[in-house]
Amino acid sequence: MTHAQGDEPATGTPPQPPVTEPAPAKPVKIKRTRVSGTWVAIIVALIVLVFLLIFILQNLDSTTVAFLGMEGSMPLAVAMLFSAIAGAVLVALVGGARIFQLRKATRKANKALR
């Protein structure tokens, strides 16, 4: 008996299908939690505080500060830190007033729908 080209010789075992590797498993996507967000915020805040400390330690030259008729002397970096804090408080007050305004408008709109 002759074999055609490409045929397997008869050895008593049937031909095996080619071996295919299984597809790689898709990575599981983990949802972010509030705790992980807080952890990242704490790390960023610590880095900012380290830079702020370096800034203050490098700018300890005393300067005269005058405000509303009052005058005093303090390190330059501390004066700049006070002004930055005052600006942040001002922004927080304006933002808080806007949030209060929006909540009041939302309550009013919800009462009108009932």
Side-chain angles (χ1 to χ4, degrees), residues 100-114:
F100 178 75
Q101 184 183 34
L102 290 173
R103 284 184 180 173
K104 187 176 177 182
T106 302
R107 275 191 234 116
K108 187 176 181 181
N110 286 339
K111 284 183 182 179
L113 291 176
R114 293 180 188 175

Side-chain angles (χ1 to χ4, degrees), residues 81-110:
L81 180 62
F82 283 150
S83 65
I85 291 171
V89 167
L90 184 63
V91 168
L93 288 174
V94 172
R98 179 64 178 153
I99 289 171
F100 178 75
Q101 184 183 34
L102 290 173
R103 284 184 180 173
K104 187 176 177 182
T106 302
R107 275 191 234 116
K108 187 176 181 181
N110 286 339

